[in-house]
Every structure is written in C-alpha cells, then in structure tokens.
Amino acid sequence: MPLKFQVFPDNPAVAKAFANDVVQLINSLLENQEIVSVSLSGGSTPKLLFEILATQYAISVDWARVHFFWGDERCVEPTDPESNFGEANRLFLSVINLPNANVHRVFGEADPAEECVRYEADIRESLEEDNGVPVFDIMILGMGADGHTASIFPHQMELMTSDRVCEIATHPESGQKRISLTGPVLNAAKHVFFLVTGASKADVLFEIDRQQGDYRSYPTSHVAPRNGCQFYVDQAAYAKF
Ligand code: 6PG
C-alpha cells in the first residue's frame, strides 16, 4: 500500500510543519481524554522539532497532561550526547512546564536486561492495552538509511514480531546496545508518524513505498498500524519519486 507523504523543502520545514500538526493533534485528543501518551524518536532529525516545540509551543499545550516515552534509547548515561532522552530533555522537556512524572525515560545507564523489564512495566502501568499490547496515542519514528526504525535493525527482524514490549537491540556497525520498543507496540499505536530526512534515506524510502527490491528486509516496511502511517519527508529523502 503506498505510503502517505507530506514533502517539504528541507528538515527545518519538516520540523516546523510537524510541530504544528502534532500540537493540533495533541490538543484535539485532550478534548476527549485526560492524558495523551507520546513516544519520541531519537537520532538527529527530531532535534529541530524539539527546539521548535520548546520555543514556539511552550504554552500551546497543557503539557502537564502529556506523558513522554521513547521508541528506543541507547544504553548510555542520560548525560551522554548519544542519549535520546538527554537530547530531548535538553532541547524540549526541560524547557516546558512538565512534571517529572510525565517523563518515562529508559534508564540507559542500567543493566539492559533489567531495564527491559522495568521499562515494560512502566509502559504497561501507564497505557491502555489492546489484546495485551500497550497502545500509545502518538508514535513518532525515524528511519535509518538501512531501513531501521526505533532500534529495530535489519539483522534483528525478530524484534518486529516479539511478544515483549521492549527488547535489547544492537547497532549493526557499532555494536552499541539499545533498548527498543518492538514491532507489535509500534503497530498498536493510534497515530504513527515518520520523520524522514536526508538523501541517504531516498533509495530505501522509494523501495518501501513501491514494494520493490528487498523492501521486506527493511523493518520500516513492517510498520503498518491500523490507522496507517504519515510520512513527513524532505525533498532529499523524496528524491527518487
Ligand atoms: C535512534 C533512532 C533511530 C533514528 C534513525 C534516523 O535512536 O537513532 O530512534 O531510529 O530515528 O536512525 O536517525 P536520523 O534522524 O539521525 O537520520
């Protein structure tokens, strides 16, 4: 099934448009529910989004009713520049009026196996479930040049079908350990968004959309939630279309 794209000139334009749209979505959800759960992605693409949310939307949302989680986290200290929590906190969460209880970070500094158990319990305590799978309101994902998403890489496709909420993943080049949400959790989310920028993603994005080549080898091609996914991309990532 073709993907749903919104194409923008560059990453700043992607971030600006998505910030506006996700704030509108959160506020519309808050009209009918007390709390909204958001799973954040890591990497470089969302950093601009975090800055825009912090500087332009700090008072546009009752952030005290929004709970933040992570789709994946590197197994590093929260102060490490590699930390997805660390970057989101530095750029966004520490700026807005957000109670600590709303931040459900992955303890990257902990033993990964123990942390998987703890983070799963935190998620299960916080969210409704559908057939035993926790349901996020909003899932923000990125995609790597190899088609990975969250920290589900092509060499660990079993994480796309795991019956656990989160698992230990390893980066295929660096071997860095990570904690990642699993495929069923990504697919159970009500609103799933991909922010994909940069020329390095263009070939894989095209193959996934057109279901060509080895597209099923890319974890991103297996993210197929009930309500579909929306892709916010820049021209560079959309270059093959
Ligand atoms: C991470 C991410 C990962 C990221 C992609 C894209 O922890 O690295 O969650 O899935 O979204 O690798 O990263 P860029 O935005 O840096 O291209």
Side-chain angles (χ1 to χ4, degrees):
M1 179 174 69
L3 305 179
K4 287 181 223 150
F5 289 108
Q6 291 190 62
V7 187
F8 301 90
D10 51 26
N11 187 12
V14 167
K16 185 169 183 291
F18 183 68
N20 178 68
D21 293 353
V22 78
V23 162
Q24 276 189 17
L25 174 59
I26 291 170
N27 282 331
S28 67
L29 292 172
L30 287 174
E31 285 170 15
N32 302 301
Q33 60 195 71
E34 184 52 31
I35 298 291
V36 167
S37 57
V38 179
S39 176
L40 298 173
S41 67
S44 55
T45 300
K47 291 183 182 184
L48 263 175
L49 167 67
F50 295 148
E51 288 174 350
I52 292 171
L53 289 173
T55 54
Q56 297 176 30
Y57 295 93
I59 57 172
S60 308
V61 176
D62 182 0
W63 293 111
R65 294 169 62 198
V66 182
H67 283 241
F68 290 96
F69 301 76
W70 277 262
D72 67 316
E73 181 58 275
R74 292 82 179 276
C75 293
V76 296
E77 292 288 335
T79 51
D80 189 309
E82 277 277 296
S83 169
N84 289 337
F85 156 77
E87 284 302 281
N89 191 52
R90 178 175 67 84
L91 296 169
F92 172 38
L93 304 181
S94 61
V95 175
I96 59 175
N97 172 30
L98 192 68
N100 289 337
N102 290 39
V103 179
H104 304 258
R105 76 176 180 94
V106 180
F107 295 172
E109 68 275 26
D111 169 76
E114 291 173 8
E115 180 53 17
C116 271
V117 173
R118 189 207 64 80
Y119 189 47
E120 173 164 349
D122 183 10
I123 290 172
R124 287 192 183 279
E125 278 161 31
S126 306
L127 303 183
E128 303 288 320
E129 297 190 358
D130 177 13
N131 286 325
V133 181
V135 178
F136 283 94
D137 291 305
I138 296 171
M139 177 68 62
I140 302 170
L141 295 169
M143 186 187 80
D146 61 357
H148 82 260
T149 190
S151 278
I152 304 178
F153 293 91
H155 74 290
Q156 285 184 304
M157 285 300 279
E158 68 276 12
L159 301 188
M160 280 309 298
T161 53
S162 168
D163 58 5
R164 298 190 61 188
V165 167
C166 50
E167 295 247 22
I168 300 173
T170 50
H171 190 282
E173 278 123 43
S174 67
Q176 184 187 59
K177 280 206 180 337
R178 302 188 172 187
I179 306 290
S180 181
L181 293 182
T182 57
V185 178
L186 305 187
N187 281 322
K190 291 177 184 168
H191 303 273
V192 179
F193 300 97
F194 277 90
L195 306 184
V196 182
T197 61
S200 68
K201 324 298 178 63
D203 290 338
V204 167
L205 198 61
F206 187 78
E207 282 185 72
I208 292 173
D209 177 68
R210 301 299 160 87
Q211 298 189 336
Q212 290 176 359
D214 213 7
Y215 77 96
R216 295 298 287 173
S217 70
Y218 305 131
T220 296
S221 76
H222 296 265
V223 178
R226 187 177 309 152
N227 297 330
C229 304
Q230 292 193 53
F231 281 73
Y232 287 66
V233 303
D234 66 1
Q235 278 294 355
Y238 201 69
K240 299 291 183 197
F241 288 79

